[in-house]
Amino acid sequence: MTVKDVIAFQGVPGAYSDMACRAARPDMTTLPCASFEDTFAAVHDGLARFAMIPIENSSAGRVADIHHLLPDSGLHIIGEHFQKVEHQLLAPPGATMDSIQTVHSHVQALSQCRLYTRRQGIRPVVHADTAGAAKEVAELGDPTRAAIASELAAETYGLQILDANVQDIPHNTTRFIIMAEEPIDPPMDDGPVVTTFVFRVRSVPAALYKALGGFATNGVNITKLESYIIDGSFTVAQFYADVEGHPENRMVRLALEELSFFSREVKILGVYPANPFRGTDNGDD
């Protein structure tokens, strides 16, 4: 096995990121890492070719801290993947719904199953990650403890599925980005493209309005825009954005030039093919 055959993710075997790696790159071996920083380092250190990083969830929103880490990761976004998340209630063999008192999982998973756990009268306990919670529940073998995790985690750690698809929203989906040490920009005319970048605006009235005006006047669609504080004074905000189109496209180039005029810093994180999931109706009938 060579580095070209490996894709790294944050978490332990059986995590949803592990599932995303297997779905997006079925020909590659997955490499679990303890943290997002370790996942980036695995690529830099030549242990993996790609890193699979969760960005946001359709019901729980942004993945905590990731927007702060991406600009300094030293990696480039080369693709995206949308993973449907189907949470399972897992427990040791012999446990029953009546015996379960607490359920352990990552804070995002617990948030996505809040109504379910309340309805069942099970007390949620925050864990570092979903598969890690499943692993711990399996090791303890306590029939009062359950975990919310994936079907893959159940198979990996020998747990039974007490209840399937316990997420509150049926179309629960997590968006992942695939990162590499070098950019792999697609040709401008080779299908829909997403450009992801971060920027900071000058601290003057209407700076954001002026900075984004170029996207409106040039007809460039912004599909995602988020702000987050990057200093302790709550005066400096950084923005994360996804737009449709390639930077070599004239309209996108003009919009980015206008953004640069009104911004303190613009950093492109990646130019990559838009996943076909974006063009589908993903609701459930």
Side-chain angles (χ1 to χ4, degrees):
M1 183 176 63
T2 68
V3 65
K4 292 184 178 181
D5 302 319
V6 179
I7 181 168
F9 68 93
Q10 186 276 323
V12 300
Y16 288 103
S17 292
D18 189 3
M19 291 183 65
C21 289
R22 295 168 187 239
R25 294 293 191 273
D27 56 328
M28 302 183 80
T29 299
T30 61
L31 175 66
C33 300
S35 67
F36 288 127
E37 292 92 339
D38 291 336
T39 310
F40 300 143
V43 177
H44 286 301
D45 295 343
L47 301 176
R49 182 183 183 191
F50 298 136
M52 180 71 77
I53 304 295
I55 288 290
E56 60 187 322
N57 177 268
S58 59
S59 62
R62 177 202 302 170
V63 174
D65 296 333
I66 195 60
H67 288 58
H68 291 277
L69 299 174
L70 287 180
D72 299 321
S73 69
L75 301 182
H76 302 267
I77 305 172
I78 57 94
E80 63 178 351
H81 173 72
F82 292 83
Q83 181 71 37
K84 187 170 183 180
V85 177
E86 296 177 328
H87 290 306
Q88 320 297 328
L89 183 69
L90 311 181
T96 66
M97 289 298 298
D98 290 335
S99 71
I100 298 301
Q101 298 177 9
T102 61
V103 60
H104 303 247
S105 197
H106 186 272
V107 63
Q108 282 241 350
L110 292 174
S111 173
Q112 294 161 23
C113 304
R114 183 183 297 109
L115 298 179
Y116 173 82
T117 56
R118 182 177 299 175
R119 188 166 59 247
Q120 297 294 331
I122 306 171
R123 181 170 63 86
V125 178
V126 174
H127 199 280
D129 56 72
T130 57
K135 181 180 180 181
E136 182 176 290
V137 165
E139 291 172 347
L140 292 173
D142 184 346
T144 69
R145 297 173 184 247
I148 288 177
S150 67
E151 184 176 356
L152 178 59
E155 297 172 2
T156 301
Y157 301 111
L159 295 171
Q160 61 171 327
I161 299 176
L162 283 185
D163 205 355
N165 297 334
V166 299
Q167 62 275 2
D168 297 330
I169 300 176
H171 51 80
N172 188 22
T173 303
T174 296
R175 178 187 175 222
F176 290 83
I177 53 174
I178 304 168
M179 306 190 76
E181 194 157 27
E182 298 295 333
I184 309 177
D185 294 0
M188 184 176 65
D189 57 354
D190 191 21
V193 169
V194 177
T195 297
T196 295
F197 56 90
V198 292
F199 66 96
R200 283 181 281 169
V201 296
R202 296 167 182 165
S203 186
V204 295
L208 181 61
Y209 173 81
K210 294 175 182 177
L212 297 180
F215 293 94
T217 56
N218 288 288
V220 177
N221 188 30
I222 300 175
T223 59
K224 183 179 179 64
L225 179 66
E226 283 193 307
S227 67
Y228 50 100
I229 298 299
I230 58 174
D231 72 346
S233 65
F234 289 87
T235 59
V236 179
Q238 183 154 279
F239 293 83
Y240 170 101
D242 293 333
V243 301
E244 294 179 348
H246 198 291
E248 293 178 4
N249 175 278
R250 181 175 179 272
M251 296 305 184
V252 177
R253 176 171 53 80
L254 291 174
L256 289 172
E257 287 175 358
E258 190 164 338
L259 173 67
S260 297
F261 182 78
F262 290 105
S263 301
R264 296 171 57 187
E265 180 184 7
V266 178
K267 183 176 184 179
I268 293 181
L269 301 181
V271 182
Y272 49 97
N275 190 287
F277 183 91
R278 289 177 175 269
T280 60
D281 180 4
N282 304 299
D284 290 277
D285 294 334

